[in-house]
């Protein structure tokens, strides 16, 4: 029965996802593609945070993927089938190198360390005009043509992005629900206990960081192939903060929490399009209010309602361990 | 030789300003355990006050400096009361609230000053002090140096010689134990953030005539403050002051010889290096985990 | 044949010497009691053995091999597991998931087999092992409850289950009886004996003298970081230095 309901819900979601671009105007189709890509960004960030470390370098890792795809495309005319996985692998490789300095730190130190490392990478893009193009970045990347289908159009590109993102989400979900995911959780909640039964916490933190970077690298490549340009500022602390907001407002305790967050906030963002100047402040206020009044995010609302009606208590763990 | 001496002088003056805002960040982190990401925006708020009240509305510079300090102190107190106090047991939540605050302050600045190019405040103290014929120090910078040194010395006196300063240091060392000793944590937190924010506001007010003012100027400030804090040792005020001066010299020289971007990259790498080798910084003992 | 040999171990924290040149050894199949007043250095001894601290000087051998300086997870892999003085569990996980974490080294899995589902059989074996241990510790009824919802006795039993699932050869138990009522204590003593009978050597740190005297065949007594005495429970009970230390500590 449960299974049946699940399949029906899944089927409905699938149909909606497939037909939705046909009911949207051009500008919203664009947005839908960015939303699809951002879903992958937040889902991969969640993997990084599973071990309890909040990094501030995820946006830059996406940029690493984006620059990889751009350079491969511009210099070697390699198509997306090649740039996507390579972008992921290169992000993962950069993350692997960064593990050595960064994972010696935890908590506050990790946060600041990851911020510093990310800024350093971004400044390298700004400093070295060749090959990164400096502040102005690079442009001229285009999506593929397959036969008659021009992926420059939003609708085909949306289907392409949807396919890639769905596959990645499926993989991320499998990881989280596997014993590897359980071990990552265990590192978060009680690292010494995990160590005492043989978990190499360093390795698992590295695993989460590298794998998360792999997926966000793919997201970066997906994005640059659609918009065609890349600049260092697209992946600055500003975008990183958006990732944080999506994840926190959505709720980071469940796999789907951050995804809900990015979807709801993107729609919210559209609805305040008229107030461009004060948009960041509205975001700031939303962030503060959600931390103060809904610390477990939107995802926790159904549970709260249920508890309210049935009367059982919801336990609210703090954001970080003591 | 002349270039080197001139760079040393410039670096020292810069170092005084760095120390002003870094010390505030350290105090807030030490006493309240939260990383105030909006600290750069507090500096920005101080600078904007000068631009708006002094350069636009014609209020005298010195009175405006006082207004800037008071105003930014107030912003800090409000942040403590409404953001950091409710999230006290959860450092990450406090940090995220401060990010929210950062956006709000930037928007307020944009609303007041409009978009468009960076704003300039003309120097108040005209003239330049010339030493040995070749060292040129604008009076505006001398003023900034004198005031920042005076502020730091006052802070030192307050922390080292007064009862309140002692209580503040006690809380920074061990919050639970201090609470058990009957120290009012709320009050001490208010004082820490009040002083920290006030010094950030002062830094902004002193920097206003020396730099470009725009809503995003806080970004470079916070990066500098992080580097200084980490290199100096998280939670060590004297370490922060020392690191501020050293880093300002380092940054000035790197900028002269390699350009600003390379200077900042090397600063960031330096910081990561310190985090790896000695996470407690050059002067630090770890006071809170 | 000693399974564990502690050789001249000293551990200093700044100026404080928490362990001062301690040597003792534990034979296979023992339940060894490691006792002493508060602050004697018992937990510090455990942390040194389990790799959470590195001895300032001295050496620790396990099955004839030096282990001091290795990482906790490496030592756990070799078969030494430690339970914590404060009940330490993954509070947000179910009883079953808690114990499953203990399978980490015995039924290793990696990212790719996890994604592709290549190791179904291994996962089933791991689940079987977990259920066997939960059965053994009397927790199988509660397998889907959150750890945070368990009563104290069951929490302690779960902490031991996590350790047992990892199939250790030597278990370091830090005050498993603290805060228990007599009934729970009796039950836990029963369980501890069963663990020993299943072939696991135990070193027990405990203040509950009834439990210590009832379970241990041999005691090692620490006081202020010094090795005060060793012997059978009867010998230790009548040792003047021990009596004095405990009376002094009681003041
Ligand atoms: N990480 C540390 N840093 C500094 N001192 C420590 C540290 N860990 C333990 N100590 C000190 O070492 C001594 C021994 O502590 P330990 O926890 O081993 O005692 P114990 O015998 O387990 O006591 P109890 O029965 O109360 O658990 C104590 O004086 C303690 O304060
Ligand atoms: Mg102990």
């Amino acid at each position: 029965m449960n299974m049946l309901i699940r399949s029906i819900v899944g089927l409905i979601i699938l149909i909606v996802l497939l037909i939705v671009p046909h009911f949207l105007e051009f500008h919203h189709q664009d947005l839908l593609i960015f939303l699809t890509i951002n879903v992958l960004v937040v889902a991969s960030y969640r993997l990084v945070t599973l071990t309890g470390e909040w990094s501030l370098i995820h946006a830059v890792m996406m940029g690493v993927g984006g620059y990889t795809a751009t350079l491969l495309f511009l210099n070697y005319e390699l198509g997306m089938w090649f740039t996507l996985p390579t972008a992921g692998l290169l992000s993962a490789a950069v993350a692997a190198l960064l593990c050595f300095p960064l994972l010696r730190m935890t908590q506050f130190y990790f946060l600041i360390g990851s911020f510093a490392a990310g800024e350093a990478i971004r400044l390298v893009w700004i400093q070295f005009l060749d090959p990164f193009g400096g502040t102005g970045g690079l442009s001229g990347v285009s999506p593929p043509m397959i036969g008659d289908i021009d992926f420059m159009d939003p609708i085909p590109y949306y289907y392409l992005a949807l396919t890639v993102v769905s596959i990645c989400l499926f993989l991320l979900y499998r990881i989280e629900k596997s014993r590897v995911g359980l071990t990552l959780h265990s590192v978060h909640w009680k690292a010494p206990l995990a160590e005492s039964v043989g978990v190499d916490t360093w390795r698992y933190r590295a695993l989460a960081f590298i794998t998360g970077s792999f997926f966000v690298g793919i997201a970066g490549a997906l994005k640059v192939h659609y918009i065609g340009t890349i600049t260092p500022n697209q992946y600055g602390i500003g975008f990183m903060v958006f990732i944080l907001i999506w994840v926190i407002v959505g709720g980071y305790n469940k796999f789907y929490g951050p995804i809900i967050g990015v979807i709801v906030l993107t729609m919210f963002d559209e609805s305040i399009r008229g107030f461009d100047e004060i948009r960041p402040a509205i975001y700031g206020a939303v962030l503060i209010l959600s931390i103060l009044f809904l610390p477990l995010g939107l995802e926790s609302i159904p549970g709260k309602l249920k508890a309210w009606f049935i009367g059982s208590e919801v336990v609210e763990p703090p954001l970080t361990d003591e | 030789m002349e270039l080197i001496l001139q760079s040393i002088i410039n670096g020292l003056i810069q170092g005084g300003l760095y120390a002003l805002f870094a010390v505030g960040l350290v105090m807030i982190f030490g006493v309240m355990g939260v990383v105030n990401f909006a600290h750069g925006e507090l500096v920005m708020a101080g600078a904007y006050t000068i631009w708006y009240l002094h350069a636009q509305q014609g209020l005298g510079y010195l009175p405006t400096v006082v207004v800037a300090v008071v105003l930014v102190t107030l912003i800090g107190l409000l942040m403590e009361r409404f953001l950091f106090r409710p999230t006290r047991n959860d450092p990450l939540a406090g940090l995220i609230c401060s990010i929210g605050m950062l956006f709000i302050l930037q928007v307020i600045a944009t609303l007041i000053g409009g978009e468009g190019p960076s704003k300039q405040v003309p120097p108040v103290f005209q003239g330049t002090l010339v030493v040995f014929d070749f060292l040129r120090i604008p009076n505006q910078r001398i003023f900034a140096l004198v005031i920042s040194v005076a502020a730091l010395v006052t802070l030192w006196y307050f922390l080292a010689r007064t009862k309140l300063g002692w209580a503040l240091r006690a809380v920074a060392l061990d919050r639970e134990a201090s609470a058990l000793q009957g120290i009012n944590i709320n009050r001490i937190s208010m004082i820490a953030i009040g002083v920290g924010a006030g010094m950030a506001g002062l830094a902004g007010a002193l920097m206003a005539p020396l730099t470009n003012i725009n809503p995003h100027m806080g970004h470079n400030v916070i990066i500098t403050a992080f580097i200084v804090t980490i290199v100096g040792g998280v939670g060590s005020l004297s370490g922060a002051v020392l690191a501020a001066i050293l880093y300002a010299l380092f940054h000035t020289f790197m900028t002269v010889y390699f350009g600003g971007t390379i200077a900042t990259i090397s600063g960031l790498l330096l910081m990561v290096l310190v985090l790896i080798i000695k996470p407690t910084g050059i002067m630090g003992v770890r006071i809170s985990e | 044949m000693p399974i564990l040999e502690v050789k001249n171990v000293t551990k200093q924290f700044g100026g404080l010497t928490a362990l001062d040149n301690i040597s003792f050894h534990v034979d296979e199949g023992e339940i060894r009691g490691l006792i002493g007043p508060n602050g004697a250095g018992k937990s510090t001894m455990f942390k040194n053995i389990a790799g959470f601290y590195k001895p300032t000087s001295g050496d620790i051998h396990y099955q004839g091999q030096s282990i001091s300086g290795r990482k906790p997870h490496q030592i756990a892999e070799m078969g030494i597991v430690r339970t914590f003085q404060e009940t330490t569990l993954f509070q947000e996980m179910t009883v079953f998931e808690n114990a499953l974490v203990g399978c980490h080294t015995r039924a290793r899995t990696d990212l790719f087999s996890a994604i592709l589902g290549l190791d179904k059989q291994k996962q089933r074996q791991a689940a079987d092992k977990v259920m066997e241990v939960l059965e053994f510790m009397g927790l199988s009824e509660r397998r889907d409850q959150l750890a945070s919802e368990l009563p104290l006795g069951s929490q302690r039993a779960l902490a031991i289950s996590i350790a047992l699932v990892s199939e250790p050869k030597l278990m370091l138990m830090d005050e498993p009886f603290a805060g228990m009522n007599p009934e729970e204590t009796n039950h836990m003593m029963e369980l501890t004996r069963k663990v020993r009978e299943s072939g696991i050597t135990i070193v027990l740190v405990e203040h509950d003298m009834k439990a210590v005297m009832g379970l241990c065949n041999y005691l090692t007594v620490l006081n202020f970081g010094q090795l005060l005495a060793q012997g059978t429970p009867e010998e230790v009970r009548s040792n003047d230095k021990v009596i004095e230390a405990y009376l002094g500590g009681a003041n």
Side-chain angles (χ1 to χ4, degrees):
Chain A
M1 190 60 204
N2 216 335
M3 199 64 192
L4 188 67
I5 295 178
R6 274 177 182 221
S7 336
I8 293 176
V9 172
L11 201 65
I12 294 176
I13 294 180
L14 184 68
I15 293 174
V16 170
L17 285 176
L18 287 177
I19 61 172
V20 71
H22 297 281
F23 294 94
L24 298 175
E25 46 188 287
F26 184 77
H27 159 71
H28 285 142
Q29 289 173 344
D30 247 9
L31 213 69
L32 186 63
I33 291 172
F34 297 141
L35 174 58
T36 310
I37 295 170
N38 287 341
V39 164
L40 180 54
V41 174
V42 292
S44 57
Y45 188 57
R46 182 180 147 70
L47 185 67
V48 178
T49 61
L50 272 190
T51 55
E53 302 293 1
W54 290 70
S55 100
L56 292 182
I57 200 177
H58 205 61
V60 174
M61 284 304 170
M62 182 176 180
V64 171
Y67 271 99
T68 308
T70 308
L71 292 173
L72 287 174
F73 183 88
L74 294 179
N75 296 332
Y76 307 103
E77 289 167 27
L78 289 162
M80 257 180 107
W81 58 270
F82 187 80
T83 59
L84 277 196
T86 318
L89 287 174
L90 206 84
S91 286
V94 171
L97 285 179
L98 286 174
C99 278
F100 291 98
L102 289 186
L103 293 189
R104 296 176 57 118
M105 313 164 200
T106 57
Q107 310 253 315
F108 163 76
Y109 298 91
F110 179 75
L111 198 87
I112 302 297
S114 64
F115 174 68
E119 278 300 300
I121 293 178
R122 245 166 40 79
L123 289 171
V124 165
W125 296 335
I126 291 176
Q127 174 70 23
F128 296 100
L129 290 175
D130 182 29
F132 299 115
T135 317
L138 299 165
S139 50
V141 186
S142 57
M145 291 266 300
I146 299 175
D148 277 347
I149 314 170
D150 183 356
F151 282 91
M152 194 81 99
D153 287 337
I155 291 186
Y157 200 85
Y158 166 71
Y159 287 132
L160 179 67
L162 187 65
T163 312
V164 173
V165 171
S166 304
I167 294 171
C168 293
L169 282 190
F170 174 72
L171 297 179
L172 283 165
Y173 186 78
R174 292 283 300 209
I175 295 174
E176 182 170 336
K177 294 296 161 191
S178 71
R179 277 234 336 273
V180 173
L182 185 71
T183 310
L184 294 174
H185 274 295
S186 77
V187 170
H188 177 184
W189 293 115
K190 281 276 160 18
L193 177 55
E195 279 177 351
S196 79
V197 290
V199 177
D200 182 349
T201 50
W202 193 93
R203 249 193 68 187
Y204 276 82
R205 289 171 66 206
L207 184 78
F209 184 49
I210 295 170
T211 317
S213 301
F214 172 78
F215 285 108
V216 84
I218 292 180
L222 264 182
K223 183 160 177 178
V224 75
H225 272 285
Y226 184 64
I227 57 177
T229 49
I230 187 165
T231 69
N233 284 344
Q234 288 167 352
Y235 302 102
I237 191 71
F239 184 62
M240 186 64 232
V241 168
F242 273 102
I243 300 175
L244 283 176
I245 296 178
W246 291 327
V247 171
I248 285 170
V249 173
Y252 49 83
N253 274 349
K254 295 261 164 61
F255 182 78
Y256 54 85
I259 300 178
I260 294 177
V262 68
I263 294 174
V264 170
L265 282 179
T266 304
M267 297 202 292
F268 171 72
D269 191 67
E270 258 314 280
S271 68
I272 55 170
R273 186 152 280 280
F275 310 92
D276 264 357
E277 229 178 17
I278 60 168
R279 230 154 52 152
I282 297 178
Y283 263 97
V286 167
L287 186 61
I288 290 175
L289 292 176
S290 77
I291 281 281
L292 293 183
F293 300 110
L294 200 61
L296 291 185
L298 294 170
E299 162 266 297
S300 68
I301 291 180
K304 277 201 169 145
L305 286 179
K306 199 167 143 199
W308 193 68
F309 280 115
I310 302 171
S312 89
E313 200 185 323
V314 189
V315 198
E316 298 194 357
L319 283 173
T320 44
D321 262 344
E322 58 272 7
Chain B
M1 184 60 200
E2 295 174 13
L3 189 61
I4 292 180
L5 272 179
Q6 185 73 50
S7 301
I8 290 179
I9 300 283
N10 292 347
L12 285 176
I13 294 171
Q14 205 65 47
L17 292 170
Y18 286 2
L20 273 190
F21 53 70
V23 154
L25 192 73
V26 170
M27 275 186 38
I28 294 171
F29 181 72
V31 172
M32 308 168 51
V34 349
V35 185
N36 179 21
F37 246 81
H39 208 68
E41 276 57 37
L42 295 178
V43 174
M44 185 269 294
Y48 257 77
T49 312
I50 299 290
W51 172 76
Y52 185 70
L53 288 182
H54 169 67
Q56 298 297 111
Q57 308 293 331
L59 192 66
Y61 180 66
L62 292 182
T64 319
V65 171
V66 176
V67 174
V69 171
V70 172
L71 185 79
V72 177
T73 305
L74 270 177
I75 298 176
L77 293 179
L78 289 175
M79 284 169 67
E80 200 287 324
R81 182 62 194 84
F82 294 108
L83 303 184
F84 298 147
R85 197 178 296 178
T87 55
R88 181 165 298 157
N89 297 320
D90 194 342
L92 184 62
L95 178 139
I96 293 188
C97 282
S98 77
I99 293 180
M101 194 64 200
L102 173 161
F103 280 129
I104 294 175
L105 290 173
Q106 284 185 355
V107 166
I108 294 175
T110 314
L111 290 179
I112 293 174
E115 292 278 0
S118 293
K119 328 242 171 298
Q120 313 277 346
V121 172
V124 188
F125 302 97
Q126 306 289 344
T128 301
L129 182 71
V130 181
V131 192
F132 306 134
D133 289 342
F134 60 84
L135 282 184
R136 311 177 56 80
I137 319 168
N139 286 344
Q140 187 72 49
R141 287 185 181 267
I142 296 180
F143 175 75
L145 182 66
V146 170
I147 299 292
S148 42
V149 170
L152 289 170
V153 170
T154 314
L155 177 69
W156 170 81
Y157 182 83
F158 164 70
L159 288 174
R161 294 293 148 86
T162 66
K163 235 181 131 183
L164 213 51
W166 173 84
L168 206 141
R169 284 186 295 145
V171 176
L173 272 176
D174 189 337
R175 204 171 338 162
E176 265 88 62
S178 313
L180 290 178
Q181 296 276 318
I183 297 178
N184 182 341
I185 303 288
N186 285 344
R187 180 149 157 262
I188 298 297
S189 300
M190 285 291 215
I191 291 170
I193 199 166
V195 174
M199 297 190 87
L202 180 63
L206 295 176
M207 279 159 71
L210 304 172
T211 182
N212 291 326
I213 301 172
N214 63 57
H216 306 287
M217 64 187 280
H219 186 61
N220 280 331
V221 172
I222 194 76
I223 290 183
T224 306
F226 279 157
I227 295 176
V228 167
T229 313
I230 297 282
V231 172
V234 180
S236 160
L237 288 174
S238 47
V241 173
L242 186 66
I245 294 164
L246 292 179
Y247 178 65
L249 288 171
F250 172 80
H251 196 269
T252 309
F253 273 97
M254 292 298 280
T255 308
V256 168
Y257 290 104
F258 302 102
T261 311
I262 294 278
T264 307
I265 294 181
S266 2
L268 288 165
L269 293 181
L270 188 75
M271 162 171 151
V272 173
L273 203 70
V274 170
L275 278 172
I276 296 168
I277 298 172
K278 194 162 183 290
T280 49
I282 48 179
M283 299 273 286
V285 276
R286 194 169 284 198
I287 54 165
S288 67
E289 266 287 41
Chain C
M1 139 101 186
I3 186 168
L4 179 76
E5 292 166 89
V6 173
K7 300 178 173 175
N8 307 97
V9 165
T10 296
K11 178 69 192 173
Q12 289 173 325
F13 297 108
L16 178 102
T17 305
L19 292 174
D20 189 2
N21 200 20
I22 304 287
S23 304
F24 66 92
H25 59 85
V26 177
D27 286 327
E28 207 158 344
E30 271 194 74
I31 299 188
R32 168 66 61 94
L34 183 61
I35 63 172
N38 289 108
K42 307 179 297 290
S43 299
T44 306
M45 190 70 243
F46 271 11
K47 286 175 196 167
N48 277 285
I49 298 171
F52 286 79
Y53 294 156
K54 189 177 183 319
T56 311
S57 66
D59 206 355
I60 297 168
H61 284 232
Y62 166 69
Q63 294 183 327
Q65 224 178 334
S66 169
I67 56 166
S68 53
R70 295 191 196 207
K71 297 261 163 51
H73 69 89
Q74 293 168 326
I75 290 174
E77 225 164 299
M78 297 175 76
I80 302 181
V81 4
R82 144 188 194 219
T83 69
F84 293 75
Q85 179 165 355
E86 324 73 40
T87 314
T88 301
L89 295 170
F90 306 112
Q91 301 286 349
E92 298 73 14
M93 296 184 189
T94 65
V95 167
F96 182 80
E97 287 169 336
N98 264 279
L100 195 56
V101 174
C103 280
H104 183 76
T105 49
R106 296 295 162 255
R108 209 175 264 289
T109 179
D110 62 74
L111 200 59
F112 293 100
S113 27
I115 293 174
L116 300 173
L118 291 180
D119 52 358
K120 287 238 165 60
Q121 194 186 344
K122 215 179 198 179
Q123 297 308 330
R124 197 160 328 111
Q125 281 169 0
D128 289 347
K129 173 78 197 173
V130 167
M131 282 321 291
E132 182 194 317
V133 169
L134 290 182
E135 197 79 47
F136 181 78
M137 299 298 289
L139 285 171
S140 51
E141 310 276 88
R142 297 181 180 271
R143 60 166 280 177
D144 292 322
Q145 256 176 304
L146 283 182
S148 53
E149 293 167 356
L150 296 179
L152 181 75
S154 306
Q155 293 203 356
R156 291 277 162 70
L158 179 54
I160 294 172
S161 308
I162 299 173
L164 282 181
V165 169
S166 76
E167 298 180 9
K169 298 197 189 67
L170 173 63
M171 231 163 114
L172 312 172
M173 296 168 72
D174 203 342
E175 302 196 21
F177 299 92
M180 286 189 166
N181 63 33
E183 194 186 324
E184 285 171 328
T185 303
N186 280 334
H187 182 62
M188 185 58 82
M189 282 175 71
E190 210 42 56
L191 287 176
T192 312
R193 267 192 211 106
K194 267 166 68 183
V195 170
R196 208 277 306 270
E197 275 154 26
S198 71
I200 298 172
T201 310
I202 295 174
V203 181
L204 176 69
V205 163
E206 187 48 62
H207 286 294
D208 184 331
M209 280 308 139
K210 177 173 159 279
V212 172
M213 297 297 172
L215 282 171
C216 303
N217 51 347
Y218 204 77
L219 300 179
T220 301
V221 191
L222 297 182
N223 189 29
F224 290 120
Q226 311 268 349
L227 187 71
L228 195 65
Q230 292 207 76
T232 62
E234 289 69 35
E235 288 165 5
V236 165
R237 211 198 308 245
S238 53
N239 182 312
D240 289 343
K241 281 196 287 185
V242 175
I243 294 170
E244 193 184 324
Y246 266 90
L247 288 178
N251 279 345

